[in-house]
Amino acid sequence: MTSPADDATGDVFTRLRAASVERREATIGLLRALIAAQRDGEAAVQARVAEAFAAHGATVETVAYDPATVPLVGEFAAPRATPAETRTCVVARLKGRGGGRSLIFFAHPDSEPLAGLDTWTRDPFAGSIGDGRLYGWGVADDLAGVAAMVGAVDLIRTAGLEPDGDVILVSTPSKRHARGVSALLHGGLSADAAVYLHPAESGAGLAEVKAFASGQLEFRIDVPGRGPETTEPLQTAFAHQAIDPIAKGAYVRAALRQLEAERAARIRHPLLEAAVGRSTNIMVSHVVAGSLDALARAPELCTVAGAVSFPPGETLEAVAEELAAAVRTAAANDPWLAAHPPTVRFLAGVSPAETPADSPLFRAVAQAVEAVTGRAPFVNPMHTASDIRNPIVQKGIPTVGLGPLGGDLTQNGRTDEWVDLEDHLRAVETAAAIVATWCGLGTVRA
């Protein structure tokens, strides 16, 4: 037996579905317009976004900020990684009529730098449609997410509804350490929950929800050696008199393997265990020594570098110290390295974050997804360093992410980037439905 509240929610979903059908061409047209604006850069995209929000009755403001001045909370990056330039966020607001929970939607309008356009088989800025896909530069990373926010407002208004709680929608730069959402959070942006709208690259589309993000720590270890004492430019005959840093680097690498095995046995998270059979990894992705232009000279340094992934429950500081301690212990047991210890540097790191599947936010999002798609979503725990972490880590705001099926992202060096057209339309409807399940939606008052 259904309650009056269930009946009311069902009526809202029905009205949003009808609005989605009515506004289908407008929804597609907006995404194509953003793709076309991408040719002229981020500012052109943001101007189009602001115009669209205003046309749908939202209060709009722009917020300029300098990424280099945004405080880092629960993360760090090399100074050179932060661009020295002013960026702009578009912030739109639908004022709630009272009694509902507030919500932030966020997505990023910035794409990869325009390059390699000649490798596309389609015009990157035409928003062409074929085989059920809509193609365009940056469409899956993340113009579809930006368009979904605008489209959700359009559907709510078309359905003759308005939110009970405040809805804040932000189109904010993110890529290459732009830190837009962090800048807004630092500036006072807050709500009861947040949803990051971004297409799903995993192949699951709206069937998955990003509610879990492992942390990541990038490291560099410089392992010293020593060349032979000779003035000869070709040193092969003297190699036995050198201290080989490659061998010492392999010794350090073995210590990291041992630490990785110990951590894998000790650090467990059920979501990661179920997905890939392990909750933490230490990946060495870079080893270099010497020069290909001097193959007859002994190298004097070996660099071992890589990254550590780790689940919620661990901190950047604790993981960094554990890795550094493993290197110190290994060096202490080697006569050469004890006297000439390796240098360990941490280059970048982000904290892990999680919104549990039994949380009110996840339940509200799952209800909306199921109402639109007909099936309950699952948590994909494999989105390391996802932007869902920012509101969680900075402000303790429960956050999840979701979006339509997308692929061939230019970020990954692919061409003909795309989103599934019907899944995008469902994503727009789902975003509007999340406002209903989280904030509450009621009929516009006369």
Side-chain angles (χ1 to χ4, degrees):
M1 182 175 180
T2 61
S3 69
D6 292 333
D7 291 339
T9 302
D11 178 62
V12 166
F13 290 158
T14 299
R15 294 172 69 164
L16 291 175
R17 174 64 52 82
S20 180
V21 173
E22 177 183 342
R23 299 295 292 169
R24 176 186 175 92
E25 294 307 316
T27 300
I28 296 171
L30 172 65
L31 183 51
R32 297 184 72 189
L34 296 185
I35 293 168
Q38 191 79 272
R39 186 194 300 273
D40 297 320
E42 181 182 317
V45 173
Q46 290 287 64
R48 184 70 182 85
V49 171
E51 175 187 310
F53 273 134
H56 295 316
T59 302
V60 182
E61 67 172 323
T62 57
V63 179
Y65 73 98
D66 179 356
T69 66
V70 178
L72 295 179
V73 179
E75 62 181 282
F76 66 94
R80 60 180 174 76
T82 304
E85 57 183 336
T86 299
R87 306 293 287 273
T88 300
C89 302
V90 174
V91 182
R93 288 180 169 84
L94 291 180
K95 181 66 177 175
R97 56 187 187 173
R101 296 173 292 196
S102 58
L103 180 68
I104 298 167
F105 280 120
F106 65 104
H108 68 84
D110 48 334
S111 69
E112 291 297 302
L114 302 183
L117 303 182
D118 56 323
T119 64
W120 280 55
T121 64
R122 299 169 180 268
D123 183 340
F125 308 106
S128 61
I129 298 172
D131 301 322
R133 296 174 174 180
L134 195 157
Y135 296 87
W137 190 276
V139 67
D141 189 28
D142 175 29
L143 293 183
V146 175
M149 292 190 296
V150 180
V153 176
D154 184 16
L155 296 192
I156 290 169
R157 288 179 58 82
T158 299
L161 302 168
E162 59 184 355
D164 295 331
D166 293 348
V167 182
I168 307 164
L169 311 103
V170 294
S171 176
T172 174
S174 170
K175 301 178 79 64
R176 297 174 297 283
H177 302 283
R179 299 174 182 157
V181 73
S182 293
L184 293 174
L185 291 165
H186 178 67
L189 178 68
S190 188
D192 295 319
V195 175
Y196 176 43
L197 294 173
H198 195 294
E201 308 93 333
S202 64
L206 286 170
E208 73 160 55
V209 173
K210 299 175 183 176
F212 181 102
S214 289
Q216 181 160 280
L217 179 65
E218 297 179 0
F219 63 87
R220 170 177 175 166
I221 306 170
D222 290 326
V223 185
R226 186 187 66 198
E229 295 183 1
T230 178
T231 57
E232 290 288 338
L234 302 181
Q235 299 175 345
T236 309
F238 302 87
H240 62 291
Q241 298 177 355
I243 302 295
D244 180 8
I246 298 175
K248 299 302 181 184
Y251 174 71
V252 170
R253 174 68 181 98
L256 294 181
R257 283 200 188 96
Q258 181 178 348
L259 174 62
E260 180 182 38
E262 293 172 355
R263 284 178 51 79
R266 172 169 42 90
I267 307 297
R268 313 293 290 272
H269 194 289
L271 287 177
L272 289 168
E273 296 287 326
V276 291
R278 180 177 284 195
S279 298
T280 179
N281 275 300
I282 301 176
M283 181 177 71
V284 171
S285 55
H286 180 87
V287 178
V288 64
S291 169
L292 288 173
D293 296 325
L295 296 180
R297 293 189 65 84
E300 298 192 353
L301 186 74
C302 177
T303 296
V304 178
V308 186
S309 67
F310 54 100
E314 289 198 285
T315 66
L316 277 170
E317 295 77 11
V319 173
E321 174 53 29
E322 192 168 34
L323 188 143
V327 174
R328 288 196 301 268
T329 298
N333 292 321
D334 178 272
W336 169 258
L337 294 179
H340 307 83
T343 300
V344 180
R345 285 183 283 173
F346 296 103
L347 309 179
V350 296
S351 295
E354 181 178 15
T355 296
D358 61 354
S359 67
L361 174 62
F362 190 94
R363 291 198 300 268
V365 169
Q367 181 186 1
V369 171
E370 188 165 7
V372 174
T373 68
R375 57 178 178 172
F378 65 90
V379 176
N380 183 347
M382 301 315 300
H383 293 287
T384 298
S386 169
D387 282 1
I388 68 165
R389 76 186 189 279
N390 293 303
I392 297 173
V393 173
Q394 283 189 245
K395 286 286 189 73
I397 300 171
T399 305
V400 301
L402 76 165
L405 175 63
D408 292 335
L409 276 65
T410 48
Q411 174 181 330
N412 299 331
R414 307 290 181 86
T415 60
D416 294 351
E417 186 174 343
W418 57 272
V419 293
D420 182 276
L421 182 58
E422 295 302 322
D423 217 28
H424 172 65
L425 292 166
R426 287 188 289 268
V428 174
E429 186 180 340
T430 298
I434 290 171
V435 177
T437 58
W438 180 259
C439 305
L441 279 175
T443 304
V444 174
R445 295 170 181 169

